[in-house]
Amino acid sequence: MTVKKLTASTPAQGVPFYTPAQNPPAGTALDTGAEVPTLFTPLKLRDLTLQNRFAVSPMCTYSADDGHLTDWHLVHLGAFALRGAALTIVEATAVTPNGRISPEDSGLWQDSQIAPLKRIADFVHSQSQKIGIQLAHAGRKASTLGPWHVTRGRHELATADVGGWPDNLWAPSAIAWDKGYPTPKEMTVAEIEGVVQSFADAAKRAVQAGIDAIEIHGAHGYLISEFLSPITNQRTDSYGGSFENRVRILLDIVRAVRAVIPSGMPLFVRISATEWMEYAGGPSWDLAQSKRLAALLPDLGVDLLDVSSGGNNPLQKIEVHPYFQVDMAAEIRSELRRAGKNMAIGAVGMISTAEMARSVVQADGTLSGQQDGTVEINGEHGTKAKADLVLVARQFLREPEFVLKTAALLGVDVQGPVQYHRAPFKKERL
């Protein structure tokens, strides 16, 4: 009789607690042959290598304590890393107290907020996964109540009695979000410069917390997005008027953040490719200006442009279809490559199936969906990728195991969490 010799489990390295090493990390394709779809191939951004093309998009959860992340965030975010998401991005994190969307938003404006963030980063790293953070200022859309307190689709004010600051909203111009909402204060140049510095200071704290990538939030009608739009930015100084002036604050923030983070750390920017106000006939932020902005970013050290849309005007008219944002990302990506600009593109929005996730990043293949929800890979047909990274939001809330399930549906053999080895995802069981 042969007795198998027992050996100690290898612990995860660089974390302050014991957990088995995840080597390779969950979500890694175990067969690296030609049939593996691009979705399960690595993506390298500076010194950061992701084992697949899935990222958890930043999603506000309105559950922080004076800007400090809590055990809620540890469990919420850790669940995605545990189940194969190569990059998990912490929700919009305010760089100043009045830059929060709600009183319960995440923040990184003071040093006491570093430790709770580091605890989450340590857990994500214990799974051999990567963690990012989105730095933000909400501008005129700050001081609102969490969405479960209000009518769906509305931004309802958080007054001082519930911790809000309706008398201290900042914006490029004194234009309220909508009728019945407070008029924000038009920022002085000194206040603009202070916000730029606050982004840099928050970035330094993120580095101290062990964050692997930083995203600047320039979308969805928050402060930077308000500056980009000629509808909400009616300034006559060097931060308003021309395209060059309206993008100035974003470019200043990019330079400031890039200067204080490690040279090997990737820097992302999220934009709204359009504010969906073209129908009104007047000047607005649109796809053409987004392409023009995108061309400026690689030379400033931006590694990935995260392409979303909308959120700056309650009168927006969105042309919704499954690829309504992905297609704009694809246009920007194509234009950058024609110009010889080297910057990755992230796509977001309505990515909820294995077939769609694969099609977004697949460089040279097509696929066909089956009625039972599985996906069969066809031959290569020379199609072009629409983006380099898939950023998934609500589908991860519905299915934290979306990466592992997608792999099973696509017939890709991937590593799962070692502690879950007795419950692998099988295509025939989905």
Side-chain angles (χ1 to χ4, degrees), residues 100-288:
R100 289 171 291 171
I101 301 168
S102 82
E104 293 79 35
D105 268 18
S106 170
L108 205 49
W109 66 80
Q110 58 185 341
D111 288 351
S112 61
Q113 292 159 341
I114 297 172
L117 177 59
K118 186 177 187 304
R119 184 169 179 238
I120 296 167
D122 284 344
F123 179 81
V124 171
H125 291 153
S126 79
Q127 305 307 300
S128 296
Q129 310 287 18
K130 306 301 181 184
I131 183 167
I133 192 168
Q134 185 185 71
L135 301 181
H137 192 294
R140 67 176 184 165
K141 291 174 73 174
S143 191
T144 58
L145 295 171
W148 49 82
H149 296 296
V150 304
T151 304
R152 183 176 175 85
R154 286 189 56 80
H155 298 83
E156 302 230 356
L157 201 63
T159 52
D161 59 316
V162 292
W165 51 99
D167 297 329
N168 191 29
L169 304 185
W170 288 2
S173 300
I175 301 172
W177 162 254
D178 202 359
K179 294 178 182 178
Y181 289 82
T183 300
K185 175 185 177 182
E186 180 173 310
M187 296 173 70
T188 66
V189 170
E191 287 166 341
I192 293 171
E193 292 171 346
V195 164
V196 172
Q197 184 60 50
S198 294
F199 271 89
D201 292 342
K204 288 189 283 188
R205 294 186 182 100
V207 172
Q208 293 178 56
I211 293 299
D212 300 300
I214 289 175
E215 177 169 274
I216 296 167
H217 196 352
H220 300 163
Y222 299 121
L223 185 67
I224 295 173
S225 181
E226 294 163 17
F227 270 90
L228 297 180
S229 168
I231 296 177
T232 46
N233 182 351
Q234 297 183 7
R235 302 175 70 94
T236 57
D237 63 4
S238 61
Y239 288 94
S242 68
F243 169 86
E244 290 80 7
N245 286 355
R246 286 182 282 112
V247 303
R248 189 181 306 277
I249 187 172
L250 173 56
L251 301 189
D252 286 350
I253 290 169
V254 166
R255 293 186 188 98
V257 171
R258 184 76 265 173
V260 300
I261 63 177
S263 60
M265 176 181 283
L267 178 60
F268 300 179
V269 171
R270 171 171 276 192
I271 62 168
S272 285
T274 174
E275 59 183 323
W276 296 106
M277 291 296 294
E278 293 90 342
Y279 78 92
S284 65
W285 184 260
D286 56 19
L287 181 57

